[in-house]
Every structure is written in C-alpha cells, then in structure tokens.
Amino acid sequence: MGKNKNGKNTDGEETVFFQAANDGKSTDAYDTRELSADQIRQQAAAQNRMAQNGYVGNGYENVNSQNGYSQNNPYSYNTYGQPPNYRTQNNRQYYNNGQYYNNGQNYGGVNNNNYRSNRNNASASSRPQNQPYYYNNNSNQSNQQKRKISLRQASGGKRRKRKNPNGSFVGRLLKTVCIIIVMLFVLYSAIALIGILSMDRVSAGDRSYTDGSMDESYVKSVLVIGVDSRDPEEDQGRSDSMILVSINSKTNDIYMTSFMRDAYVQIPGYGSGKLNAAYSYGGAELLMDTLEYNYDISIDDYVLFTFEACADVIDAVGGIEMTISDEEAETINEILISEVNEIMGDDQDDDLLDGGGTLTLNGKQALSYSRIRYVGNADFERTERQRSVMQEVIEKAMANPIRLVSICLTALPELTTNMSILSLYSYVVISPFQLAFYDLEQQRIPADGMYSDATIDGESVLEIDFSAAQELLKDTVYSD
C-alpha cells in the first residue's frame, strides 16, 4: 500500500498517473490530469449519483465507444460506482437517434458537441511525449505557463538553467585563438611561397657517387655552402664554408656539422686534394659526391650562399649580438676595407668598428667576422665562428617569428638551391616549429684527435681518420 503526499496510507488508485499516448494522440479526458485521492472520491461519488438519477455516468466519456463507455477509462466500471444501465427498464434510459431520454424526458443529443470535457486546450502533439503534465485550474493561465509548471514539477521544482547558445567564454576564446592561428599560418605560408618562388632554383646536376650508407628516413639533411666568389655566374670560386644541417626527428636534435676545408680527401674523378677544391672543380654536385665518398653520408640537397646573400640574411633578423675581442674587431675592419664593402658597393671605410666588446653586428660586419682565419686557432676557430653566426641568426629569428617574414621576402631571393618547391615549402613551414622545440647542436669534422697536420705538394693539409669521423657522424647525426 502506498502513501500520499501527507504520509498517510492510501489505496492503489491514489497513485494513478496519466500521460499522453506514445503516438502523440489524446487517450481520454483524464490523460492530462493528475488526480488526488480526494478528487477521485468526489468524482466517484458524483458518478454514482448521476447513475442513480438517470444521467450519463461520466461527463468525460466518449459515447461512441463500446456500450457508451470509454475502454481506456479506468473509472468507467465498478471501481468507484455502478455505471448507468442504458438498456434497463428501471431507469428507462436509452438512446434513440442520438437523443437521450430519461422517464420520457428528452435531454438533447449526446454528441461530441454536448459532452463536458476538462481537457487542456493544448493538443497532445504540443506537449513533450511521455512527460507528466501538471493540471492547473487557473483558466487564465497560458498553455506555455502550464508547460513550464509541468516540467518544473517533473524536475523537483527546480528551474532549468538556460544554455548559452554561443557556448562558454573559454570555448569562444579558444575558438577565436584557433581562427587567429589558422589565419596567421595561411598568411605566413603565402609569404613563404612568394620567397620560395623567387629563389634561384636550379635543376639537380649529374652525380657520380651517391652510395653513402648512412641514410635514414628520420634524418633530413641540407648542405649549406658559402662560396668566396664575388660573382658566381662569372667565377665559381671555392667553398669557403661547408655546414651540413641535419634534422633528426627521433632524437629531436638539429646538428650543424662543419667540414674543414683543408681536409685532404679523394675527389671522385679528380684524385686527391683539399675538400674546398671539389666545389671549384664541379660545383655543388661534386662537393656532395666528395663528402659522400669520404664520410659515407647521404647528401642530396643544398643551399648556396654568396657573400651578399649571407649579409642579407643577417640584416633580415636585425643583426646579431656577438662578443668579440679587440684583435677580432681590428681584423673585421681589415676585411671590410679590403673586400666586403667593395662587394656590397659601399664606401671603403663604411661600418668600421671602434673596438671589441659585446656588439650588435650588421650583415657586413658579421660576414667579415665569420671570415676571420688568422686570429686564434686558424681554420678550426673559423668554422666555430661560422656556426656561431648561423646559430645566432636562427635563435633571433625564432625569438620574433615576424623576422621569418623578412627572411622570406629579402633573403630567400638571394639563395640558390636544387630543391623542389614542395621540399622548400616543407622546410620553410615546418622547420620553424622544429627549431622551437628541438635542441640545436654543433660539431666539427674532423673532431680533436681525428686528424694530423701534413704538408702535401707544398700545401698544408689535414690527414683525416675517416673511420673515426664516420663513427662520430653515426653517433650524432644519425643517432636513434
């Protein structure tokens, strides 16, 4: 036995609850009502009185149903009173041509227009299916208010919070940030593509040796060649700087490996000689062949810098900060006066330094700094200066990504490469993200202990322990 809202015992009928039909149609007159026990008893008593007095037993019933009673109405039968006998002689109740008679008196038609109904005016289709409906006797209350009351009753009387159709503030902020990032990426990609298309792209030349065994899919390498030619179209010159930039996606390292120009090597098709002579004999292709043959590494792509291109790249990032000695400052001035200012078309005494210290060097000054050979440990220290200049340029560009735009528009057109547009686009777009999260490492080949000084054919050269050099490259550039 259940309990009513007051905690008292009730009969089973007190908990009867009516809903709209599942198909969205009305069931009977009670389908939108929740009746309390008192209401049920009152209606049952009224029904008994009406039955005894000869009236229709229920004002809510559909007279077109079987025997004049709705089969869906649980109160139409003996539960709360005897239904009226429409075909007995005692009460003389009968239907004739749609007319209701009692003791000879005509009470009018009993069609659908005359029966009483306490239905809610709202149709079943306008209410949520299978939702309990709270009936309110206030006839002035709108259907919309009734629906709100019913939903509030069903949820325990709590008012539902309306959802913000535009989402939370954090969601809108993230969406805005994502849109800005996408727009900036598209803009940068477009600018990078402009710079790439303006580069001096040459077809890959003939290669005589491409059998370097150290070739891993997770390592991408580009040979950066700096030449001492004033005009490469008239004088190919010699390779003044040879730095292999390798990106290792397994170790998240970027290695800058300098190859000493005085290394005594085998030049395919030309015999033995200094490494920097390979470029003068056969350009970038023969230089890559020579490196592969002697160091057993795989190199297919290169980027070539002239003096002017190197200065433009450094100026594109706003110069670099270096700490130099007074002796280095004096040598920088000598190089500016003797060659660099002339190449750039400037006055001979332009951009001279007053002395050493921590200085911001412009493109011409930094170029002259990287060419110092006879201060310190000769060519060994020279390669270190070159790597330091390259690293400073990279770090300064990453500190302010807007400088990458300047590099794309002013420096890339000065470079020469054999890479395809797709490969260049991949490097220009992806490399900045790798540079931001990868470790930047430097090394020199040969390293200390892997060479000996020698004089061959009147030239000072370095005799290399190639096995040790190859092992070092395998442990660093190609490490997994």
Side-chain angles (χ1 to χ4, degrees):
M1 180 175 295
K3 293 185 178 182
N4 60 16
K5 297 179 180 178
N6 297 324
K8 298 180 180 180
N9 292 334
T10 65
D11 51 18
E13 286 75 6
E14 284 189 11
T15 61
V16 175
F17 189 75
F18 291 89
Q19 295 178 309
N22 291 332
D23 59 1
K25 299 179 180 180
S26 297
T27 54
D28 54 47
Y30 293 91
D31 61 357
T32 59
R33 300 183 60 190
E34 179 183 2
L35 303 179
S36 66
D38 290 340
Q39 288 174 316
I40 293 174
R41 293 190 185 95
Q42 291 174 4
Q43 291 188 9
Q47 187 179 33
N48 288 335
R49 288 195 302 272
M50 291 168 65
Q52 293 174 1
N53 294 331
Y55 291 97
V56 177
N58 187 331
Y60 302 95
E61 295 170 4
N62 187 345
V63 300
N64 294 324
S65 301
Q66 183 179 358
N67 297 328
Y69 293 92
S70 170
Q71 295 181 355
N72 294 327
N73 188 351
Y75 304 105
S76 300
Y77 291 92
N78 292 329
T79 306
Y80 293 101
Q82 296 297 326
N85 187 352
Y86 288 89
R87 297 300 179 185
T88 59
Q89 295 295 327
N90 295 332
N91 293 328
R92 294 183 181 180
Q93 300 176 17
Y94 56 92
Y95 291 96
N96 184 19
N97 296 326
Q99 300 296 313
Y100 172 73
Y101 291 86
N102 185 24
N103 292 327
Q105 185 175 358
N106 187 339
Y107 284 85
V110 288
N111 51 40
N112 289 336
N113 295 326
N114 294 328
Y115 79 103
R116 294 173 300 155
S117 174
N118 284 330
R119 290 184 186 273
N120 192 317
N121 291 332
S123 64
S125 62
S126 65
R127 300 189 300 271
Q129 296 299 315
N130 296 325
Q131 287 285 348
Y133 192 87
Y134 178 87
Y135 184 81
N136 193 308
N137 288 326
N138 185 357
S139 60
N140 294 327
Q141 192 172 29
S142 68
N143 292 334
Q144 184 177 5
Q145 290 174 319
K146 292 178 182 179
R147 283 194 295 271
K148 290 182 179 178
I149 294 173
S150 67
L151 293 174
R152 198 178 304 163
Q153 288 286 347
S155 61
K158 296 180 180 180
R159 183 182 297 275
R160 290 186 176 184
K161 294 183 177 180
R162 296 183 62 184
K163 293 184 177 180
N164 188 341
N166 296 323
S168 65
F169 171 77
V170 175
R172 295 195 304 272
L173 180 62
L174 290 175
K175 183 178 179 180
T176 302
V177 171
C178 289
I179 292 174
I180 293 174
I181 291 174
V182 170
M183 291 177 64
L184 291 175
F185 177 77
V186 172
L187 179 61
Y188 172 70
S189 298
I191 294 173
L193 193 58
I194 293 173
I196 290 170
L197 293 176
S198 64
M199 292 179 70
D200 181 15
R201 289 177 292 107
V202 298
S203 60
D206 294 333
R207 299 285 301 277
S208 62
Y209 188 86
T210 56
D211 295 333
S213 64
M214 283 186 275
D215 184 13
E216 301 293 346
S217 60
Y218 56 86
V219 176
K220 301 296 183 184
S221 296
V222 177
L223 182 62
V224 178
I225 307 170
V227 297
D228 60 4
S229 172
R230 280 59 175 166
D231 188 354
E233 294 183 357
E234 297 182 1
D235 177 20
Q236 187 161 263
R238 293 195 176 198
S239 53
D240 186 64
S241 172
M242 294 160 286
I243 301 177
L244 184 68
V245 179
S246 305
I247 303 173
N248 189 321
S249 59
K250 276 195 172 182
T251 61
N252 292 343
D253 289 325
I254 299 176
Y255 268 93
M256 296 185 297
T257 304
S258 293
F259 293 95
M260 297 289 290
R261 56 181 282 171
D262 289 338
Y264 195 69
V265 297
Q266 290 292 320
I267 302 175
Y270 292 87
S272 299
K274 288 186 176 181
L275 179 59
N276 66 339
Y279 179 80
S280 64
Y281 294 156
E285 285 74 21
L286 183 57
L287 176 58
M288 291 188 291
D289 289 344
T290 303
L291 289 171
E292 285 207 25
Y293 183 86
N294 291 274
Y295 295 104
D296 199 28
I297 56 176
S298 178
I299 307 174
D300 295 317
D301 301 323
Y302 72 87
V303 173
L304 187 144
F305 285 77
T306 62
F307 283 178
E308 187 174 357
C310 180
D312 287 342
V313 170
I314 296 169
D315 285 334
V317 298
I320 57 175
E321 186 176 278
M322 303 295 297
T323 300
I324 62 176
S325 66
D326 288 336
E327 188 177 5
E328 287 175 324
E330 183 179 350
T331 305
I332 289 173
N333 289 339
E334 292 174 358
I335 296 174
L336 284 170
I337 294 171
S338 63
E339 58 182 2
V340 172
N341 278 333
E342 182 182 353
I343 292 172
M344 301 298 180
D346 296 329
D347 293 338
Q348 195 175 40
D349 296 332
D350 194 23
D351 292 321
L352 300 182
L353 300 175
D354 295 329
T358 300
L359 308 174
T360 298
L361 304 181
N362 62 24
K364 293 188 302 179
Q365 294 165 341
L367 170 63
S368 301
Y369 171 78
S370 67
R371 285 184 55 76
I372 298 175
R373 186 175 185 183
Y374 299 109
V375 176
N377 192 13
D379 210 39
F380 294 95
E381 197 164 336
R382 182 187 196 187
T383 61
E384 183 179 346
R385 292 188 186 97
Q386 292 169 351
R387 294 193 303 272
S388 297
V389 169
M390 180 178 288
Q391 182 164 343
E392 286 295 319
V393 170
I394 291 173
E395 291 179 350
K396 193 160 185 182
M398 295 310 303
N400 185 356
I402 296 178
R403 296 191 179 107
L404 293 173
V405 175
S406 180
I407 292 175
C408 291
L409 296 179
T410 62
L412 288 185
E414 302 293 332
L415 307 182
T416 301
T417 182
N418 68 335
M419 287 188 283
S420 67
I421 293 177
L422 183 60
S423 295
L424 288 168
Y425 179 80
S426 176
Y427 276 116
V428 171
V429 172
I430 297 176
S431 294
F433 297 98
Q434 293 174 321
L435 290 169
F437 299 103
Y438 284 25
D439 293 327
L440 199 58
E441 307 288 349
Q442 297 185 26
Q443 65 180 355
R444 184 193 72 234
I445 298 293
D448 293 342
M450 296 182 184
Y451 67 92
S452 61
D453 294 319
T455 301
I456 300 176
D457 296 332
E459 291 187 307
S460 296
V461 296
L462 300 175
E463 289 187 326
I464 309 299
D465 182 350
F466 290 106
S467 295
Q470 292 168 13
E471 193 66 27
L472 177 60
L473 288 168
K474 184 177 180 180
D475 292 340
T476 54
V477 174
Y478 293 95
S479 176
D480 58 0

